Amino acid sequence: MELNDKQIEILHVAEKLFAEEGFDGVSVREIAKLAHINIAMISYYFGSKEKLLESIVLHRIGGMGLRLENLLNEDKDPISKMDEIIKFYIIQVNANKHIHQIIQNEIANKKREINFESFTELKKNNLKLLESIVKEGQEKGQFKTNINVALLPPMIIGSFLYFNMNKVLYADLFGLKSEEDFENYIKNELTQHIQKTVKALLTYEKY
Amino acid sequence: MELNDKQIEILHVAEKLFAEEGFDGVSVREIAKLAHINIAMISYYFGSKEKLLESIVLHRIGGMGLRLENLLNEDKDPISKMDEIIKFYIIQVNANKHIHQIIQNEIANKKREINFESFTELKKNNLKLLESIVKEGQEKGQFKTNINVALLPPMIIGSFLYFNMNKVLYADLFGLKSEEDFENYIKNELTQHIQKTVKALLTYEKY
Amino acid sequence: MELNDKQIEILHVAEKLFAEEGFDGVSVREIAKLAHINIAMISYYFGSKEKLLESIVLHRIGGMGLRLENLLNEDKDPISKMDEIIKFYIIQVNANKHIHQIIQNEIANKKREINFESFTELKKNNLKLLESIVKEGQEKGQFKTNINVALLPPMIIGSFLYFNMNKVLYADLFGLKSEEDFENYIKNELTQHIQKTVKALLTYEKY
Amino acid sequence: MELNDKQIEILHVAEKLFAEEGFDGVSVREIAKLAHINIAMISYYFGSKEKLLESIVLHRIGGMGLRLENLLNEDKDPISKMDEIIKFYIIQVNANKHIHQIIQNEIANKKREINFESFTELKKNNLKLLESIVKEGQEKGQFKTNINVALLPPMIIGSFLYFNMNKVLYADLFGLKSEEDFENYIKNELTQHIQKTVKALLTYEKY
DNA sequence: GATGAATGAGTGTTCATTCAT
DNA sequence: AATGAATGAACACTCATTCAT
């Protein structure tokens, strides 16, 4: 689907609003107003409000094509690769906060049947990359063998999402006064904490 | 606030619907229909749709008063206590899936200003318990010292929530055919995975 | 109809509210709240909201029984009597502003069919008194003969009502800053103006 | 604001209904039904029911721009001018009975805060014209000097309004069987009565 | 005699979408 | 290709009244 400038503008405005107020919490009037377009345009361009949501998802995922593949081929040890991939996960989810918020809401939502297959595919691909890195680490004897790799993304992304959802609480706990402080905490402390946790798990001896 | 049977019935029906379809995705008509009551009753009993949501939250949190305190006083080693507390976290969040779903959505939602202070208090209390266990473990030399305890709940709850939100994906990956299978996986594999991860982090040597 | 204290309290509260916000602009809940009684009491005591209005009218008119008759028998000249009766008219309408406001609204209102016969009777009686005074004045040669007495009350009461309805405008024009100022203006200037006008008409030579 | 035919149709229907049954006594459904339009149109065209009322007022007042100014410049004596202006007042208020009824109700009503400034301006302008005529008459020695001109409109309009509000009573008293009879009585007897009264006051000697 | 609980009908407003142009 | 006008359906909420107690 070819999208013109106005259409992309609509997608961006709608994405922000859907993330902030939920699909049902936003009216097409609001979107039209903020995007400076006629109300009828949304139905006209995308068919319906629901199809607009699908377009947002497709548009975003299309732009998320992972450049993770490169990591694999580089000449680094698996632990560095794991650090990189975790950092990448967090940066990516953080950069696409809005669409993640929307998708998580919609997946939980039984009301609409929106096709998130492409998103699932993306997750599966990412999982394969993770698996290959873990495997490499195991072959090199750096990682333990009894690792359930599929449960790593829930830990990585879940930690981030939960941290983010409880922004007010954690900003309070850690004295993060500005948006920038919060972003920096994610970029540094939180990322390192998750990296450390994953490495601990992967190299963990006892029990 | 004293609640009669019908009011509690409404709360339960509304809780389920709000979790499944979002606050804005549910009409009071739907709630009234499923709860077999007159539409006017919702305003009559709770004042408004928003106040109904607040009542749901209060009602649930009131019943969530943690019995974690007992764990602390028992004569177990910190590692067992940590296992217990993680198990407890997951059981509790799982049992209160709906309200967690609702609250997470609403916290992210800029539209409504609902008072979740009691929920935040609960989180802070739980955090204190975690801290005392970690401290105990550190004093006994079992846990490392550089632990950011506040980031443990995001990991524990976040992992569970993300796993749960992507039910379809993980049911597919792990061949979980029934709801029961899924619940069992959470109860066993996922819980153990998280316990293992936390213990790894707490006792982790290198880096 | 015997009325107990609570019922009279309801009548007074309702009268004020009906006058200020119109019959349809007031809910029985508001009345019940301000009168500190249960909502059901209004239907219970008066039958319905409409019947409450009728009760208000009857209650007020019952208490308005004119003591104008005395004026006629007194040994004053017709001009003084006319001054007295005009003063009386204005005082009475002013003292019963609320019910007059209500009745004027309701008479204009095609919706409800409320029996204002007693009110009409009152008007007719007052008119007879006016006629006898005018007749007396005519017989004594003080008043002209071609007087349409029935059009005097519209002038007297109409002037007052219009003045009162446009309170803001006239308070502004005449620099009446307080409620008291306004009341005094009615009691003095306006009353005298109307008295003067009526006397002018009654004794007017030309045309 | 440009109004199309349908919008004007709505204004007229609503004006009539508001006058007859009061603002709160009319539902938008009734208006929509009588105006043969969709309910949503009222919000769509005017924003809300209250704004519809404001539109009615503005629309009417816009069309009421007095052509009284011409009277002043004509080469007639002040008494004829006064007769003309009174006639004009009554014709105008009578022709705009509905809006006058509405506005008088709403001015008395504490509930809504509708801007009647334009209406007040109109009144003040009319008052100025009256004042200039009276002054002219005084300068020519035809009118007395101690005249409170601001109290003339209450007398003129108030008399008419009260007469009109008590239509049933006066139709009975004067044997006015048809609407036409009533209109004629206003046009002739009532108008002359008021003219006579005003002239009496203006030229009145004694007291 | 008095009332808290309850309700069906109705309120004004907003919704996503359609249609003629 | 694009849009202003329009709409039926749905929205949350309030209404006056009833009724069991």
Side-chain angles (χ1 to χ4, degrees):
Chain A
M1 186 185 181
E2 294 281 324
L3 296 173
N4 63 36
D5 288 356
K6 256 187 196 168
Q7 288 171 312
I8 290 173
E9 164 81 354
I10 295 170
L11 290 181
H12 287 169
V13 166
E15 181 179 346
K16 188 168 181 294
L17 287 174
F18 285 161
E20 284 174 0
E21 318 199 8
F23 181 80
D24 292 304
V26 182
S27 72
V28 292
R29 272 165 191 75
E30 288 178 69
I31 298 167
K33 204 172 184 181
L34 261 83
H36 305 290
I37 48 118
N38 185 281
I39 327 163
M41 299 254 42
I42 286 162
S43 288
Y44 177 65
Y45 277 148
F46 302 98
S48 71
K49 194 185 172 190
E50 290 213 6
K51 293 225 183 86
L52 167 62
L53 177 55
E54 286 188 344
S55 291
I56 291 169
V57 173
L58 284 173
H59 178 67
R60 263 285 169 254
I61 291 175
M64 282 204 281
L66 282 208
R67 281 130 302 172
L68 272 179
E69 284 86 351
N70 304 329
L71 283 174
L72 266 180
N73 303 324
E74 282 177 23
D75 190 25
K76 292 179 178 170
D77 73 310
I79 286 175
S80 301
K81 282 183 181 173
M82 190 54 72
D83 276 351
E84 285 287 325
I85 203 174
I86 289 168
K87 191 179 159 193
F88 188 89
Y89 258 116
I90 292 171
I91 286 171
Q92 197 214 46
V93 176
N94 195 28
N96 297 290
K97 236 182 268 189
H98 282 161
I99 194 72
H100 265 92
Q101 176 71 37
I102 294 170
I103 291 172
Q104 294 303 343
N105 279 352
E106 289 306 314
I107 286 176
N109 197 314
K110 290 186 178 174
K111 217 173 188 181
R112 284 171 287 280
E113 294 229 1
I114 287 176
N115 186 1
F116 292 121
E117 212 168 301
S118 57
F119 199 62
T120 305
E121 280 312 302
L122 194 63
K123 284 173 183 166
K124 285 185 176 172
N125 272 336
N126 288 352
L127 201 51
K128 278 182 191 158
L129 289 171
L130 260 186
E131 276 168 348
S132 66
I133 293 173
V134 170
K135 201 178 167 193
E136 188 189 340
Q138 287 168 334
E139 284 166 355
K140 290 189 177 169
Q142 292 177 307
F143 296 165
K144 296 290 140 189
T145 51
N146 56 342
I147 305 297
N148 190 337
V149 183
L151 294 182
L152 290 180
M155 209 219 82
I156 299 166
I157 304 177
S159 293
F160 167 77
L161 287 178
Y162 189 84
F163 184 82
N164 208 264
M165 281 169 168
N166 293 278
K167 184 179 260 184
V168 176
L169 172 64
Y170 290 110
D172 178 31
L173 283 177
F174 296 131
L176 309 172
K177 280 158 194 164
S178 66
E179 192 67 25
E180 204 192 343
D181 284 354
F182 193 80
E183 290 292 324
N184 279 332
Y185 193 90
I186 288 171
K187 199 177 151 193
N188 301 315
E189 267 75 16
L190 182 66
T191 300
Q192 282 161 31
H193 175 86
I194 295 173
Q195 287 170 335
K196 190 172 146 189
T197 307
V198 170
K199 283 182 286 183
L201 179 70
L202 292 173
T203 62
Y204 180 56
E205 291 282 349
K206 288 182 253 175
Y207 307 100
Chain B
M1 186 187 182
E2 293 281 325
L3 297 172
N4 63 36
D5 288 356
K6 257 188 195 167
Q7 286 171 313
I8 290 173
E9 162 82 357
I10 295 171
L11 289 182
H12 288 170
V13 167
E15 181 179 346
K16 188 167 180 293
L17 287 175
F18 284 161
E20 285 173 1
E21 318 199 8
F23 181 81
D24 292 306
V26 182
S27 72
V28 293
R29 274 164 189 75
E30 288 178 68
I31 297 168
K33 206 171 185 181
L34 261 82
H36 305 290
I37 47 120
N38 187 283
I39 328 164
M41 299 260 47
I42 285 163
S43 286
Y44 176 64
Y45 278 149
F46 303 99
S48 69
K49 194 186 171 189
E50 290 214 4
K51 290 217 184 98
L52 167 62
L53 177 54
E54 285 187 342
S55 291
I56 291 170
V57 173
L58 284 173
H59 179 66
R60 263 284 170 256
I61 291 175
M64 281 205 284
L66 284 209
R67 280 128 303 172
L68 272 179
E69 285 86 352
N70 304 330
L71 284 174
L72 268 179
N73 302 322
E74 283 177 22
D75 191 25
K76 292 181 179 169
D77 74 310
I79 287 176
S80 300
K81 282 183 181 174
M82 190 54 73
D83 276 352
E84 285 287 325
I85 204 174
I86 289 167
K87 191 178 159 195
F88 189 90
Y89 257 114
I90 292 171
I91 285 172
Q92 197 212 47
V93 176
N94 195 29
N96 297 290
K97 237 182 270 189
H98 283 160
I99 195 70
H100 264 92
Q101 175 70 36
I102 294 171
I103 290 173
Q104 294 303 343
N105 279 353
E106 289 305 313
I107 286 176
N109 198 313
K110 291 184 178 174
K111 219 171 187 180
R112 282 170 290 279
E113 293 229 1
I114 287 176
N115 187 1
F116 292 120
E117 212 168 301
S118 56
F119 199 63
T120 305
E121 280 312 301
L122 195 62
K123 283 173 184 166
K124 285 187 176 171
N125 272 336
N126 288 353
L127 201 51
K128 278 182 192 158
L129 290 171
L130 261 186
E131 276 167 350
S132 65
I133 294 174
V134 170
K135 201 179 167 194
E136 189 190 340
Q138 287 168 333
E139 283 167 354
K140 291 188 176 170
Q142 293 177 307
F143 296 165
K144 295 290 141 188
T145 51
N146 57 341
I147 304 297
N148 190 337
V149 182
L151 294 182
L152 291 181
M155 209 219 80
I156 299 166
I157 304 177
S159 294
F160 167 77
L161 288 177
Y162 189 84
F163 184 81
N164 209 264
M165 281 168 168
N166 293 280
K167 185 180 260 184
V168 177
L169 172 63
Y170 291 109
D172 178 31
L173 283 176
F174 297 131
L176 310 171
K177 280 157 195 166
S178 66
E179 190 67 25
E180 204 191 343
D181 284 354
F182 193 79
E183 290 292 324
N184 279 332
Y185 193 90
I186 287 171
K187 198 177 152 192
N188 300 315
E189 268 76 16
L190 181 66
T191 300
Q192 282 160 31
H193 175 85
I194 294 173
Q195 288 170 334
K196 190 171 147 189
T197 308
V198 170
K199 283 182 286 184
L201 179 69
L202 291 172
T203 61
Y204 181 55
E205 291 283 348
K206 285 183 259 177
Y207 305 98
Chain C
M1 187 185 183
E2 294 281 324
L3 296 173
N4 63 36
D5 288 357
K6 255 187 197 170
Q7 286 171 312
I8 290 175
E9 164 82 355
I10 295 171
L11 289 181
H12 288 170
V13 166
E15 182 180 343
K16 187 168 182 295
L17 288 174
F18 284 160
E20 285 172 1
E21 318 198 9
F23 181 80
D24 292 305
V26 182
S27 72
V28 293
R29 272 166 190 74
E30 288 178 70
I31 298 168
K33 205 172 185 181
L34 260 84
H36 306 290
I37 48 119
N38 187 280
I39 328 163
M41 299 254 44
I42 285 161
S43 288
Y44 177 64
Y45 277 150
F46 302 97
S48 71
K49 193 186 172 189
E50 290 213 6
K51 293 224 182 88
L52 167 63
L53 176 55
E54 286 188 342
S55 292
I56 291 170
V57 173
L58 285 173
H59 179 68
R60 263 283 169 256
I61 291 176
M64 280 203 286
L66 284 207
R67 280 130 302 172
L68 272 179
E69 284 87 351
N70 306 329
L71 285 173
L72 267 180
N73 304 323
E74 282 177 22
D75 190 25
K76 291 180 180 170
D77 74 310
I79 287 175
S80 300
K81 281 183 182 173
M82 190 54 72
D83 276 353
E84 285 288 324
I85 203 174
I86 288 167
K87 191 179 158 194
F88 189 88
Y89 258 116
I90 293 171
I91 286 172
Q92 197 212 47
V93 176
N94 195 29
N96 296 291
K97 238 181 270 190
H98 283 161
I99 193 71
H100 264 92
Q101 176 71 37
I102 294 170
I103 291 172
Q104 294 303 341
N105 279 353
E106 289 306 314
I107 286 175
N109 197 313
K110 292 185 176 172
K111 217 175 188 181
R112 284 171 287 281
E113 293 226 3
I114 287 177
N115 186 1
F116 292 120
E117 213 169 300
S118 57
F119 199 62
T120 305
E121 281 312 303
L122 195 62
K123 283 173 184 167
K124 286 186 175 172
N125 273 335
N126 288 352
L127 202 51
K128 279 181 192 160
L129 290 170
L130 259 186
E131 276 168 349
S132 65
I133 293 173
V134 170
K135 202 179 166 192
E136 189 190 340
Q138 287 168 333
E139 285 166 355
K140 290 187 176 173
Q142 293 177 306
F143 296 165
K144 296 290 140 187
T145 52
N146 57 340
I147 305 298
N148 191 337
V149 183
L151 294 182
L152 291 180
M155 211 219 78
I156 300 166
I157 305 177
S159 294
F160 167 77
L161 288 178
Y162 190 84
F163 184 82
N164 208 263
M165 280 169 169
N166 292 280
K167 185 179 257 181
V168 177
L169 172 62
Y170 291 109
D172 179 29
L173 283 177
F174 297 130
L176 310 170
K177 281 156 193 166
S178 65
E179 191 67 25
E180 203 191 345
D181 284 353
F182 194 80
E183 290 292 324
N184 280 331
Y185 194 91
I186 288 171
K187 199 176 152 195
N188 302 313
E189 268 75 15
L190 183 66
T191 300
Q192 283 161 30
H193 176 85
I194 294 172
Q195 288 170 336
K196 190 172 146 188
T197 308
V198 170
K199 284 181 286 182
L201 179 69
L202 292 173
T203 62
Y204 181 55
E205 290 284 345
K206 285 181 258 176
Y207 305 99
Chain D
M1 188 187 181
E2 295 279 325
L3 297 172
N4 63 36
D5 289 355
K6 256 188 195 169
Q7 286 172 314
I8 290 174
E9 162 83 354
I10 295 171
L11 288 182
H12 288 169
V13 166
E15 182 181 343
K16 187 167 181 293
L17 288 174
F18 285 161
E20 285 173 0
E21 317 199 6
F23 181 81
D24 292 307
V26 183
S27 73
V28 292
R29 275 164 186 77
E30 287 179 68
I31 298 168
K33 207 170 184 181
L34 259 84
H36 305 291
I37 48 117
N38 188 283
I39 328 164
M41 299 260 48
I42 285 163
S43 286
Y44 177 63
Y45 277 150
F46 303 98
S48 69
K49 192 188 173 189
E50 289 214 6
K51 289 216 185 102
L52 167 61
L53 176 55
E54 286 188 341
S55 291
I56 291 171
V57 173
L58 285 173
H59 178 67
R60 265 281 170 255
I61 291 176
M64 280 204 285
L66 284 208
R67 280 129 301 172
L68 273 179
E69 285 86 351
N70 305 329
L71 285 174
L72 267 180
N73 304 324
E74 283 178 23
D75 190 24
K76 291 180 180 170
D77 73 308
I79 287 176
S80 300
K81 281 184 182 172
M82 190 54 72
D83 276 352
E84 285 286 327
I85 204 175
I86 289 167
K87 192 179 157 195
F88 189 89
Y89 257 116
I90 292 171
I91 286 172
Q92 197 212 47
V93 176
N94 194 30
N96 297 291
K97 237 180 274 190
H98 283 160
I99 194 70
H100 265 92
Q101 176 70 37
I102 294 171
I103 290 173
Q104 295 302 343
N105 279 353
E106 289 306 314
I107 286 176
N109 196 313
K110 292 185 176 172
K111 219 171 188 180
R112 284 170 289 280
E113 294 227 1
I114 287 176
N115 187 1
F116 292 121
E117 213 169 300
S118 56
F119 199 62
T120 304
E121 280 312 301
L122 195 62
K123 284 174 184 165
K124 286 186 176 172
N125 272 336
N126 289 352
L127 201 50
K128 278 180 193 159
L129 290 171
L130 260 187
E131 277 167 349
S132 65
I133 293 173
V134 170
K135 201 179 167 193
E136 189 190 340
Q138 288 168 334
E139 283 165 357
K140 291 188 177 172
Q142 293 177 306
F143 295 165
K144 296 290 141 189
T145 50
N146 56 339
I147 305 296
N148 190 336
V149 183
L151 294 181
L152 291 180
M155 210 218 79
I156 300 166
I157 304 176
S159 294
F160 167 78
L161 288 177
Y162 189 83
F163 183 82
N164 209 263
M165 280 169 169
N166 293 278
K167 185 180 259 183
V168 177
L169 172 63
Y170 291 108
D172 179 30
L173 282 176
F174 297 130
L176 309 170
K177 281 158 194 164
S178 66
E179 190 68 25
E180 204 190 344
D181 285 352
F182 194 80
E183 290 292 323
N184 279 331
Y185 194 91
I186 288 171
K187 200 177 151 194
N188 301 314
E189 269 75 15
L190 182 65
T191 300
Q192 282 161 29
H193 175 86
I194 294 173
Q195 288 170 334
K196 192 172 144 187
T197 308
V198 170
K199 282 181 287 182
L201 179 68
L202 292 173
T203 62
Y204 180 56
E205 290 285 346
K206 288 181 253 175
Y207 307 97

